[in-house]
Amino acid sequence: MRLVARSLWKRPGFTLVAILTLALGIGASTTIFSVLDAVLLRPFPYPAQERIVELRELDEKGKGMSFAQPNFDDLRARSHSFDALAQYSAWPEAIAGGSEPVRTTACAVSGDFFRVLGVTPVLGRVFASESLAENKEVAVVSYGFWRRLLGGRTELEGTSLRFHNRSFAVIGVLPAETEFPPGADVWFPYEIYAQEFRDPNASRTAHNWRVTGRLKPTVSIETARSEIGAIGRQLKLEHGTLTDAASFGLTPLRERFVKDIRGVLLVVCGAVTVLLLIACSNVANLLLVRAAARRQEIAVRAALGASRWRLARQFITETVLLTFAAGALGVVLAFWGVDLIVGAYHGNLPRVGQIGVNSTVLVFTLGVSLLAGLVLGLVPAFSSSHRQLQNDLQSAGRGKLTSRSSSRFRNFLIVAQVALTLMLLIGAGLLGRSFQRLMEVDPGFQPESAVAMTVSMPDPEDPAAQRRLALFYQQLLERLNALPGVIAVGGTNALPMSGMGANGTFIIEDGVKPAQTMAALIGQLNALSGTEKARDAEFRVSSSGYFAAMGIPLIRGRLFQESDGPDSPHAALISESLARRYWPNEESIGKQIQFGNMDGDVRLLHVVGIVGDVRDDGLDAEARPIVYVNYFQRPAATSQFSIVLRGHGDAAGFTAAMRREARALNPEMPAKFQTVREIVSASLDNRRFSMVMLGIFAGSALALAMVGLYGVMAYITSERTHEIGIRMALGAQRFDMLRMILRQSFTLVLAGVGLGILVSLGLTRLLGALLYGVPATDTLTYAAVVGLLVLAASLASYIPARRAMKVDPMVALRYE
């Protein structure tokens, strides 16, 4: 160790380049493994977590849907595979009662929910089905909520929270690692809705609930999947068009959490593996060059009695010391890398709070460093056979330093580096082109110069409360509209791409007798399910100024206006795609529709205008049909309301002004502020994350490959100095030497390009799910990447080639 340390210290250039090169590869690997460990590998903090599953309804095409209440009740009664089944639904809620009012996620759960998870509270107790007979207005809070807003008090007696127009007694605190569903802070019994959802006429197409279950110890996932699938198909036979579920499906809990990110993480994991291989091959080439320079020294050692194992031990010790130093630096880089990834993903990674460099990650880094050191140490060891050592001793002073086998292996490493780099560059290029195509998509609105303020208010439970809520929003909109620099102000209950919208089935009232009560409407929906009079659409509650504030164009008809009062015929706007789909050959303005199942108001909606389509599910998804109703006429579904302000000025200034005006009307109202551009940007997290990560790795790989090519060509040039001198003494011109060196370099580069293209044609198909508007074999991307790689290789090879042009033949011959 002392000998190796002294030797490396005497060659600071080689040592520094090797450590930095390896640190880049090991640091990137450590960073990505820290994410994989938290998201994909680390067990969930629930007992026997492999038996916890997520259940979904499946339509005729196999697409998953949330459960309708009657279907869940039938599944629970007929299934024998589960120890417990529970349903839940989470949404943002304004919650008071803590140190300050907050807007956070509340989750309504059935009584067996905590039995499914198997969690034990750190304080107090959880509720169960048996304990809810006496009191349903209880709540359990997350550990973070308890610490932040309840002061971490150990006595919960008398602690209550106010939301949903009720007061809930806090009875327990869950462990810090409990994150189900993600982001939830408060859990309360869904049984407060029991009367509403136990209606025997409840719709089997109202998909309101997610379902989770715990399998019995003796039941496998496949057995349970087969059983619930059969139950779903039987219910379809029994109820026909009254249900749109053709079967039921089942997914393990881990897959439910990571299904949206697994593909992205695996692509990035593959990219970082390629980067580590490039870094190792680069250092292997450096080691080969260094070993070639030390051949005479090693030959003398062997002649004096050193065994091959003794020499190999010295090589391995040297490389392990290098990789351990690189590993230590890589860990430092990983701390920065983890922060970069979490920040680039806007905190939306699953279990994001658990991502970090911990003991498991450090053991991984140690293992990678040790493995890399052992493998790299064998490279110079195997390049020194006993016969080669004898030849080296005999040829001392003749200038021949590199054996033919070492040269072939060195050339192979360069070809491999170029091929691997080309693969990463093509992957990054395809994702970049895809992202560019995506950014060219018209979202249906104008995100520039628009700020959104999302407020949460108590649910209005009666018409008087609904009226007061509508007047409050009207007053807030008027105050904001009077601010200087404001162009337009409007609000809606769910912004595009926020993931908060609701959809359902509406009825085209054409010869259908209007329902007078909700029970009659539910019966009507059941009777018309599957017919041409029942249609599916998104449901949005909006103000008239919302469309100007968002830049959504009016196609025909009119927008909402002041004459659309609470007692006037209820007006509706529909999106262009809805009009085109359901009234393709006739005028849709003037039509009447029934959509009261979304907000409990059975009065008919009169279509008064058609507005442009909005890509509500993201830029890569087709626009869905949308029905907009007037918030002043239908305020029941506006407890959460997003107000959009468009104006001339700074977003921060408008944010401060909006906060000031909101607090002037209601100091306790929680509000969340975002620019509309930030909302659009967040919807692209998966694609941006994979593109940026692959781009960083590809750029790093290109730099490493070009440094490696430069180093090898510089060494080859110096090795051939005497040959170049002889050639020039015999009449060769300087440009002949330039061509000779460039030809040798480009032979390796073009071989790597050819190999890289062949491999990429197969592997880039794995990126298919991440591409939009660009095929995996996009010719333009391949041509651009090959051109970039050849240009970079030309620059890396030119300096050594130029040095060959300047060799003085007399100096070279005198040296020889």
Side-chain angles (χ1 to χ4, degrees):
M1 289 290 290
R2 284 196 302 270
L3 175 64
V4 165
R6 196 160 58 242
S7 174
L8 293 177
W9 184 259
K10 289 180 179 179
R11 296 168 178 82
F14 163 80
T15 304
L16 184 62
V17 170
I19 289 177
L20 290 178
T21 300
L22 288 170
L24 183 61
I26 295 175
S29 301
T30 302
T31 301
I32 298 304
F33 181 80
S34 66
V35 179
L36 292 176
D37 174 57
V39 176
L40 297 181
L41 304 178
R42 195 178 306 167
F44 285 96
Y46 311 123
Q49 54 101 20
E50 71 280 357
R51 293 197 285 120
I52 303 177
V53 294
E54 179 93 353
L55 289 79
R56 302 276 278 170
E57 292 185 8
L58 303 177
D59 64 13
E60 297 286 353
K61 297 179 179 179
K63 180 182 177 182
M65 304 177 289
S66 296
F67 262 81
Q69 182 70 46
N71 288 343
F72 171 74
D73 292 336
D74 287 339
L75 173 66
R76 183 168 55 182
R78 301 184 189 191
S79 173
H80 304 286
S81 297
F82 301 91
D83 273 338
L85 277 172
Q87 54 191 357
Y88 65 94
S89 183
W91 59 84
E93 188 75 66
I95 297 179
S99 57
E100 61 178 339
V102 295
R103 178 180 178 270
T104 189
T105 301
C107 186
V109 302
S110 60
D112 286 336
F113 181 80
F114 298 107
R115 280 185 58 201
V116 171
L117 295 186
V119 296
T120 302
V122 296
L123 183 66
R125 62 183 176 85
V126 296
F127 53 82
S129 297
E130 306 79 36
S131 64
L132 293 174
E134 301 177 0
N135 182 18
K136 299 183 179 66
E137 295 183 350
V138 293
V140 175
V141 299
S142 70
Y143 188 85
F145 187 95
W146 173 65
R147 292 294 301 271
R148 293 191 316 270
L149 298 164
L150 299 182
R153 66 188 72 160
T154 56
E155 180 56 57
L156 296 177
E157 186 70 28
T159 302
S160 64
L161 300 175
R162 295 185 302 279
F163 61 94
H164 205 66
N165 294 313
R166 289 176 171 83
S167 179
F168 293 84
V170 179
I171 62 171
V173 179
L174 296 184
E177 60 271 15
T178 302
E179 297 181 355
F180 189 81
D185 270 329
V186 178
W187 293 261
F188 66 97
Y190 103 105
E191 276 79 2
I192 65 172
Y193 303 110
Q195 184 174 359
E196 175 183 349
F197 286 109
R198 295 297 180 188
D199 188 329
N201 295 318
S203 171
R204 290 183 181 270
T205 59
H207 305 286
N208 295 309
W209 301 98
R210 286 186 171 273
V211 173
T212 185
R214 177 175 286 272
L215 296 174
K216 292 180 177 178
T218 57
V219 176
S220 69
I221 287 180
E222 289 304 320
T223 300
R225 185 177 284 131
S226 176
E227 184 201 44
I228 66 171
I231 293 173
R233 290 189 292 273
Q234 181 62 35
L235 290 176
K236 181 65 176 177
L237 290 175
E238 293 175 8
H239 300 284
T241 58
L242 297 182
T243 179
D244 52 0
S247 181
F248 298 151
L250 177 152
T251 305
L253 179 66
R254 180 175 296 281
E255 291 185 24
R256 175 256 188 269
F257 266 83
V258 303
K259 64 180 180 180
D260 293 334
I261 190 66
R262 180 193 296 274
V264 173
L265 288 181
L266 292 180
V267 167
V268 174
C269 185
V272 80
T273 302
V274 171
L275 179 62
L276 181 60
L277 289 174
I278 292 173
C280 288
S281 65
N282 213 335
V283 174
N285 252 331
L286 290 174
L287 290 170
L288 281 175
V289 170
R290 185 161 185 256
R294 299 171 62 191
R295 279 190 178 280
Q296 294 174 15
E297 169 202 340
I298 295 168
V300 171
R301 288 177 180 270
L304 293 175
S307 66
R308 291 195 65 196
W309 169 235
R310 176 66 185 83
L311 294 172
R313 280 196 349 244
Q314 181 163 346
F315 286 129
I316 292 173
T317 303
E318 180 177 289
T319 54
V320 167
L321 189 61
L322 282 172
T323 55
F324 276 12
L329 180 57
V331 169
V332 175
L333 295 176
F335 280 101
W336 172 79
V338 167
D339 291 339
L340 175 66
I341 287 178
V342 172
Y345 221 85
H346 297 281
N348 293 330
L349 282 168
R351 310 177 79 183
V352 66
Q354 300 180 36
I355 298 175
V357 180
N358 53 27
S359 57
T360 303
V361 176
L362 291 177
V363 170
F364 168 81
T365 306
L366 180 65
V368 170
S369 301
L370 181 60
L371 179 62
L374 293 175
V375 172
L376 289 173
L378 295 175
V379 171
F382 281 129
S383 71
S384 304
S385 69
H386 216 45
R387 179 181 299 176
Q388 288 169 344
L389 292 174
Q390 293 175 355
N391 293 337
D392 291 338
L393 190 61
Q394 294 169 1
S395 62
R398 297 181 188 174
K400 181 176 175 56
L401 297 176
T402 305
S403 67
R404 183 173 298 177
S405 60
S406 294
S407 296
R408 283 198 298 265
F409 186 61
R410 185 183 61 204
N411 292 342
F412 166 76
L413 290 177
I414 288 295
V415 170
Q417 280 188 51
V418 172
L420 292 172
T421 301
L422 185 74
M423 289 166 51
L424 284 182
L425 286 171
I426 287 175
L430 289 173
L431 292 178
R433 286 256 296 154
S434 176
F435 197 80
Q436 180 187 15
R437 290 284 180 88
L438 206 57
M439 295 304 295
E440 293 171 355
V441 172
D442 180 10
F445 56 89
Q446 299 172 12
E448 299 80 11
S449 306
V451 179
M453 174 179 68
T454 301
V455 301
S456 298
M457 299 290 287
D459 284 329
E461 291 193 328
D462 56 64
Q466 294 175 13
R467 177 67 175 161
R468 288 194 297 271
L469 184 60
L471 290 172
F472 171 81
Y473 288 139
Q474 182 184 37
Q475 188 178 4
L476 180 56
L477 289 171
E478 288 174 352
R479 293 176 71 111
L480 295 176
N481 200 40
L483 293 173
V486 171
I487 298 173
V489 176
T492 183
N493 67 331
L495 290 169
M497 303 183 190
S498 66
M500 299 306 300
N503 70 310
T505 302
F506 69 91
I507 301 172
I508 299 175
E509 292 288 339
D510 184 9
V512 178
K513 183 179 179 180
Q516 302 299 316
T517 64
M518 273 302 298
L521 176 56
I522 295 298
Q524 199 174 73
L525 282 168
N526 288 338
L528 295 176
S529 178
T531 70
E532 63 179 10
K533 294 186 181 298
R535 294 291 185 260
D536 178 76
E538 300 289 317
F539 179 80
R540 300 291 182 268
V541 186
S542 306
S543 71
S544 59
Y546 169 72
F547 302 96
M550 286 293 290
I552 300 174
L554 174 67
I555 307 300
R556 288 200 306 279
R558 67 172 177 87
L559 299 175
F560 301 133
Q561 55 192 24
E562 289 186 9
S563 60
D564 296 325
D567 300 320
S568 305
H570 284 199
L573 302 172
I574 61 175
S575 63
E576 190 175 15
S577 59
L578 188 146
R580 189 168 52 247
R581 179 181 300 183
Y582 299 136
W583 293 288
N585 300 313
E586 55 183 312
E587 180 56 69
S588 54
I589 295 177
K591 297 292 184 180
Q592 296 180 352
I593 61 177
Q594 172 59 269
F595 219 166
N597 49 307
M598 298 302 295
D599 61 357
D601 193 328
V602 297
R603 284 173 285 187
L604 293 179
L605 294 168
H606 301 260
V607 178
V608 298
I610 301 173
V611 295
D613 284 327
V614 169
R615 292 181 181 256
D616 190 72
D617 293 329
L619 295 176
D620 55 350
E622 292 298 322
R624 284 179 48 79
I626 302 177
V627 173
Y628 299 92
V629 300
N630 191 337
Y631 86 102
F632 208 68
Q633 295 179 324
R634 309 285 283 257
T638 59
S639 59
Q640 177 174 295
F641 206 57
S642 296
I643 296 173
V644 181
L645 182 151
R646 177 177 297 277
H648 301 295
D650 179 52
F654 281 127
T655 297
M658 294 171 78
R659 180 182 286 110
R660 183 179 63 250
E661 296 298 331
R663 286 180 175 175
L665 290 179
N666 187 338
E668 294 189 348
M669 179 178 63
K672 176 184 178 183
F673 293 88
Q674 294 172 284
T675 65
V676 176
R677 180 167 289 282
E678 287 172 346
I679 296 172
V680 176
S681 177
S683 72
L684 299 171
D685 274 348
N686 273 11
R687 295 181 181 277
R688 183 187 300 102
F689 176 75
S690 55
M691 178 191 70
V692 170
M693 289 298 104
L694 213 59
I696 290 174
F697 296 151
S700 302
L702 179 62
L704 289 178
M706 294 308 102
V707 168
L709 179 62
Y710 166 78
V712 168
M713 296 313 300
Y715 175 74
I716 290 174
T717 302
S718 64
E719 190 181 44
R720 300 181 68 177
T721 299
H722 62 284
E723 174 195 344
I724 293 172
I726 294 173
R727 287 176 177 269
M728 295 183 70
L730 293 175
Q733 299 301 311
R734 294 182 182 275
F735 282 99
D736 295 329
M737 299 301 97
L738 177 68
R739 282 196 300 270
M740 181 183 72
I741 298 300
L742 289 179
R743 187 187 310 116
Q744 186 171 5
S745 172
F746 271 86
T747 299
L748 301 176
V749 171
L750 294 178
V753 166
L755 178 61
I757 289 176
L758 291 176
V759 177
S760 297
L761 287 172
L763 291 182
T764 50
R765 299 181 188 278
L766 301 176
L767 295 176
L770 300 176
L771 299 180
Y772 177 85
V774 177
T777 56
D778 183 53
T779 305
L780 181 60
T781 301
Y782 275 70
V785 166
V786 170
L788 173 64
L789 190 59
V790 170
L791 177 61
S794 301
L795 294 175
S797 305
Y798 177 72
I799 297 176
R802 183 177 174 82
R803 187 179 303 158
M805 295 172 59
K806 296 182 178 180
V807 171
D808 187 338
M810 293 305 298
V811 173
L813 290 174
R814 192 177 299 120
Y815 173 78
E816 179 66 17

